[in-house]
């Protein structure tokens, strides 16, 4: 049986460089990180991050509902609103039972949970928020989006650490292909910049530290890379079967051609040093898309700027794609948005396909000499791209890869 093709018909983003898709794209193409010192992290070993700025989230959400939402939920709701509007859809007119919501996160409202624990310790149970549970549980982005959009079909909240976004898109694609919905609102969100989390990253050795300018610190694939810089944000896509999109006159931004997933089953933080299990996820996505490796014209790399992860991924890219397609790594600009990273980077890959522009890797003049990969540096690369992949490799060994192509 032929599998129905799935289209990306809507896209919404809110990130450290922009409060919507267009401003995010401009910021990523500019290749300059907004990482800055964060007042709430004063005294922490890592006191900087890439933050969503320049927007009053409560005012943007509107009404009283925002007071029951953690920041990670607000980001997701705003991205979903933009995506649905971009798709030209009106929730007041669709059949809600045929609309699915699949929105992942790696940490949910752990920041709010920590805050409530402090309140409990200092002031007692009577001072804690009556919305305390709603501020913390990881399904609330999907739940609040479903409420706002009147979507009564399947609703899910995948959690595969840094791969959560691509996992959500893959699950949503499967819901469409199997006929369980006609529209899927899918993506991921994260807001994890708070003292306890940053202390944990410092202790783990994954987080970069500096006495200099935080904006220059995240250097994916550089010889002197020193670790990840934290970010936050959300990205949501609207997915539909191509035939359904065509029937209503919608012009797809891209086609979701394939996905692949594997698990290293090796270590909670470090990738398997051989990279072979992550490579299997790439190969699975290519098989699912019906592509040969040489069909790939662009790689959006996971590129965390940690020594081991970048070395493993660079070797994987060189093995799988010996024709050396151009490689970018958005975390140099955005920081590592954790569970949201895969969805944001898949969204950026969609824009690369549409516009024939590959954004540069921030803070990189050239990759480490031992990396045989073609990194885009300093300026955006203007080149038509028909087929591209985006890698997501998460803590716990969760590997997820998405293959996207021009319609």
């Amino acid at each position: 049986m032929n599998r129905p093709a799935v289209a990306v018909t809507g896209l919404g983003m809110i990130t450290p460089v922009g409060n919507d898709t267009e401003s995010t794209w401009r910021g990523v193409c500019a290749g300059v990180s907004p990482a800055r010192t964060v007042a709430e992290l004063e005294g922490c070993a890592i006191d900087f991050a890439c933050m969503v700025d320049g927007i009053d989230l409560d005012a943007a959400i509107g009404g009283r509902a925002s007071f029951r939402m953690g920041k990670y939920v607000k980001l997701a709701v705003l991205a979903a609103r933009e995506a649905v509007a971009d798709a030209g859809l009106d929730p007041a007119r669709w059949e809600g039972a045929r609309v699915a919501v699949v929105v992942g996160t790696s940490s949910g409202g752990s920041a709010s949970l920590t805050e409530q624990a402090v309140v409990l310790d200092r002031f007692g149970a009577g001072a804690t928020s009556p919305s305390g549970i709603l501020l913390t549980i990881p399904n609330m982005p999907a739940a609040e989006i479903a409420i706002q959009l009147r979507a009564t079909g399947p609703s899910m909240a995948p959690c595969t650490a840094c791969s959560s976004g691509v996992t959500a898109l893959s699950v949503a694609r499967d819901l469409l292909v199997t006929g369980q919905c006609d529209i899927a609102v899918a993506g991921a969100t994260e807001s994890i910049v708070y003292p306890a989390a940053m202390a944990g990253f410092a202790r783990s050795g994954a987080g970069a530290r500096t006495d200099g300018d935080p904006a220059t610190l995240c250097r994916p694939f550089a010889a002197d890379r020193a670790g990840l810089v934290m970010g936050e944000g959300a990205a949501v896509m609207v997915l539909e079967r191509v035939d359904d999109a065509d029937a209503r006159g919608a012009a797809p931004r891209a086609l979701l051609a394939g996905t692949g997933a594997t698990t290293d089953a090796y270590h909670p933080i470090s990738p398997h040093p051989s990279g072979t299990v992550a490579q299997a996820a790439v190969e699975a996505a290519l098989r699912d898309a019906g592509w040969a490796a040489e069909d790939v014209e662009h790689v959006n790399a996971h590129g965390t700027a940690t020594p081991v992860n970048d070395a493993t991924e660079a070797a994987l890219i060189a093995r799988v794609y010996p024709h050396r397609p151009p490689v970018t790594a958005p975390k140099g600009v955005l920081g590592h948005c954790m569970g949201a990273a895969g969805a944001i980077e898949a969204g950026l890959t969609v824009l690369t396909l549409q516009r024939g522009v590959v954004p540069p890797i921030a803070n990189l003049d050239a990759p480490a000499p031992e990396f045989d990969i073609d990194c885009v540096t300093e300026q955006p690369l203007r080149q038509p791209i028909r087929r591209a992949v985006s890698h997501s490799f998460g803590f716990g060994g969760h590997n997820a890869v998405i293959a996207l192509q021009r319609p």
Side-chain angles (χ1 to χ4, degrees), residues 141-166:
E144 289 286 4
I145 290 169
I147 291 167
Q148 296 227 347
L149 299 182
R150 306 178 186 181
T152 59
S155 179
M156 303 179 187
C159 177
T160 52
C162 319
S163 298
S164 297
V166 172

Side-chain angles (χ1 to χ4, degrees), residues 305-321:
T306 54
V308 175
N309 280 268
D310 281 12
T312 303
E313 187 176 16
L316 181 162
I317 292 170
R319 286 195 307 271
V320 176
Y321 315 106

Side-chain angles (χ1 to χ4, degrees), residues 143-341:
E144 289 286 4
I145 290 169
I147 291 167
Q148 296 227 347
L149 299 182
R150 306 178 186 181
T152 59
S155 179
M156 303 179 187
C159 177
T160 52
C162 319
S163 298
S164 297
V166 172
T167 300
L169 293 169
S170 180
V171 169
R173 190 276 303 265
D174 290 347
L175 291 174
L176 285 162
V177 166
T178 55
Q180 297 181 63
C181 66
D182 296 326
I183 298 168
V185 179
T189 185
E190 201 76 87
S191 180
I192 194 178
V193 179
Y194 63 97
M198 301 306 282
F201 279 105
R203 293 281 291 170
S204 74
R209 306 187 196 192
T210 183
D211 294 325
D213 181 2
T216 65
L217 187 60
C218 187
R219 301 184 291 273
F221 299 114
D224 62 347
R225 61 196 183 279
L228 63 84
V229 172
M230 193 60 64
E232 63 179 4
V236 173
M237 295 184 192
V238 173
L239 304 180
E240 301 176 68
R241 289 181 291 270
V242 169
D243 288 348
D244 293 340
D246 288 345
R248 67 178 187 88
R253 283 182 173 267
L255 302 182
L256 199 171
T259 62
T262 60
T263 308
D264 280 358
Y266 171 73
H267 190 273
I269 296 177
S270 295
H272 194 288
S274 72
T276 54
V277 182
Q279 180 174 330
V282 176
E283 293 168 342
L286 297 180
R287 283 195 306 273
D288 193 30
W291 300 353
E294 57 267 26
D295 292 328
V296 174
E297 297 174 339
H298 166 53
V299 176
N300 188 309
H302 187 58
T304 60
T306 54
V308 175
N309 280 268
D310 281 12
T312 303
E313 187 176 16
L316 181 162
I317 292 170
R319 286 195 307 271
V320 176
Y321 315 106
H323 57 296
R324 303 181 83 246
V327 174
T328 194
K331 294 180 181 68
V333 172
L334 300 173
H336 195 337
C337 298
M338 303 305 289

